Amino acid sequence: MPMVKCRTCNGTYEPLQADGTRYYHACPPLERATVDRLGALVDVDARTVQPGERVVRQFTIDRPNHRDENLKVIAFDASGNAIVDMKAPGAGVDRV
Amino acid sequence: MFPTTPTFSNDFGAAARAFAAPAPFYIGGEDNLELSGITSATGVQLVAAGRVMGFDGVSRPFDQRIALTSNRVITTSLFALGEGFLQQLILYPASGTPANGQCWARARIVRGLGGGTTVLGVLASGCVTAAQPLQFPGSPLRGPLDGPGFIRSIAGTNPNAGVNVTETVPTGARWKMLTMSVTLVNDATVANRLMSIGIDDGTTRLYTTLAGAVQAASESVLYTIAGFGMVHVANPRAILPLPAVPIAMLAGYRFVTDVVTFQAGDNLSAPQYQVEEWLEGV
């Protein structure tokens, strides 16, 4: 199976692994940091923290329109089996 | 007092008598076979085959099959067996090639065929392969988390430049991390990067390990995380230790890189990692 590229995070991956199992892509979150800038606490991209700035906390947030192919149960059929769908389709994927 | 030998008694007038049952597991007319399976392998068809002896003394074979999904979600179907005595039953994958620990199967006797059912007994449960079926009677009852897991080597997502690696345990799986390798290629921005690899529960960091040395601008280094419990003396940034006691990673847990002073032009490769995987069975 060809590799695909996630339109949200631009990551590339193989949906079907060499051992025949499926791969479930999830976009990396955005890394944020709360820093003390001139006495005010502000949330910034963690990569933009300047040398000498005091980092109060580091955290992550979901990327906007993130894709998460992992499954969630959305209903059950007449036999009681789960009907599943991906958690978040994001912006989709392209073959590469 | 129950007799030591299971008996079936009919009471049809003068012919009434008691005789030894052909098997101890009586199946009533309203009882049915519930067949369930979970797998991460593709193309697996699960078979439940066996024999039921009816009251006419005739032993009737049965062969029921269900196609399993490869997404680790349990698939269940009910089959009527007819009234009689269950003599034997075998569970095995008729197609696909699930490895040990990659396909879990279960057979139960339930009352009812549609809507609500009541479980009356478990006949067999455990992991199956083409070479290792389950059998009733005989096989011990095992859950999907019992025994060794399925060893997988996974090619993860190759992130865009300036983006850290994040790999998530898929729905229905439980992982134990064994090894992981990833290459960091720095851009020309003058700053020392420090590789850090961590495990979180989807939100909160549980474990962090740091490389033993920094990586300068324009350098390329292959990092490996493994359960060696030590840092390589000659090349302290090559191997990052995993915790001595493995962290059980449930669905939604992640392992992440977290490069200190990561630059927008720095590029991480797709991680290649090995895990031991169990089917959660929920």
Side-chain angles (χ1 to χ4, degrees):
Chain A
M1 181 173 280
M3 294 189 76
V4 297
K5 183 172 188 174
C6 174
R7 291 178 185 160
T8 300
C9 71
N10 289 320
T12 54
Y13 57 95
E14 297 175 44
L16 193 62
Q17 296 281 300
D19 64 6
T21 56
R22 279 196 60 192
Y23 176 78
Y24 297 88
H25 167 75
C27 288
L30 296 175
E31 292 142 27
R32 308 285 292 176
T34 303
V35 297
D36 185 346
R37 283 186 177 165
L38 303 174
L41 297 180
V42 292
D43 290 343
V44 299
D45 183 335
R47 292 176 305 182
T48 65
V49 175
Q50 301 300 309
E53 275 188 325
R54 188 170 69 91
V55 176
V56 178
R57 68 172 182 140
Q58 283 189 289
F59 59 100
T60 61
I61 57 173
D62 282 340
R63 192 171 290 266
N65 201 23
H66 77 286
R67 181 177 178 83
D68 187 347
E69 297 176 352
N70 287 295
L71 302 174
K72 63 180 179 183
V73 176
I74 56 173
F76 292 92
D77 66 16
S79 303
N81 288 312
I83 300 171
V84 295
D85 197 3
M86 73 170 68
K87 287 181 177 174
V93 297
D94 293 312
R95 288 191 174 191
V96 292
Chain B
M1 282 291 286
F2 292 102
T4 54
T5 302
T7 59
F8 165 69
S9 62
N10 62 24
D11 52 1
F12 300 111
R17 61 189 174 90
F19 60 90
F25 214 103
Y26 169 69
I27 309 281
E30 298 172 350
D31 301 337
N32 298 290
L33 174 67
E34 181 202 72
L35 179 59
S36 303
I38 313 170
T39 188
S40 62
T42 53
V44 175
Q45 188 182 46
L46 184 64
V47 176
R51 291 185 299 174
V52 173
M53 177 170 279
F55 292 148
D56 56 4
V58 176
S59 182
R60 296 181 177 86
F62 64 88
D63 181 321
Q64 303 289 1
R65 300 172 180 234
I66 58 171
L68 302 185
T69 58
S70 62
N71 56 11
R72 304 178 187 81
V73 174
I74 191 166
T75 301
T76 297
S77 283
L78 297 173
F79 303 100
L81 289 177
E83 190 174 18
F85 294 92
L86 180 66
Q87 295 181 295
Q88 64 189 102
L89 173 132
I90 190 169
L91 296 178
Y92 63 95
S95 61
T97 53
N100 192 34
Q102 200 182 7
C103 180
W104 181 78
R106 182 185 65 200
R108 302 195 296 195
I109 295 296
V110 300
R111 177 145 291 193
L113 195 56
T117 56
T118 301
V119 178
L120 300 180
V122 180
L123 301 172
S125 71
C127 290
V128 293
T129 69
Q132 182 178 308
L134 291 174
Q135 177 165 308
F136 167 85
S139 295
L141 301 180
R142 293 183 183 276
L145 297 172
D146 294 338
F150 168 47
I151 304 297
R152 298 184 60 196
S153 178
I154 303 169
T157 297
N158 187 355
N160 207 27
V163 177
N164 273 297
V165 164
T166 301
E167 294 293 316
T168 307
V169 181
T171 304
R174 180 182 295 197
W175 282 358
K176 183 172 79 176
M177 174 72 80
L178 300 176
T179 66
M180 191 269 278
S181 287
V182 64
T183 300
L184 172 61
V185 180
N186 283 349
D187 69 9
T189 306
V190 178
N192 285 332
R193 284 68 151 179
L194 183 63
M195 173 60 86
S196 162
I197 296 174
I199 294 173
D200 69 29
D201 63 3
T203 305
T204 306
R205 185 67 65 87
L206 302 172
Y207 176 75
T208 299
T209 182
L210 292 163
V214 297
Q215 179 177 339
S218 302
E219 274 196 305
S220 175
V221 175
L222 171 65
Y223 293 92
T224 296
I225 181 170
F228 300 148
M230 57 188 166
V231 173
H232 197 283
V233 175
N235 190 358
R237 63 187 178 187
I239 300 174
L240 288 71
L242 277 166
V245 178
I247 296 174
M249 297 178 67
L250 308 178
Y253 280 38
R254 305 178 295 193
F255 71 86
V256 298
T257 61
D258 186 5
V259 181
V260 180
T261 61
F262 201 29
Q263 304 298 312
D266 293 348
N267 212 334
L268 284 156
S269 69
Q272 186 74 33
Y273 51 101
Q274 189 188 46
V275 298
E276 185 173 8
E277 177 179 304
W278 289 266
L279 299 164
E280 196 67 60
V282 294

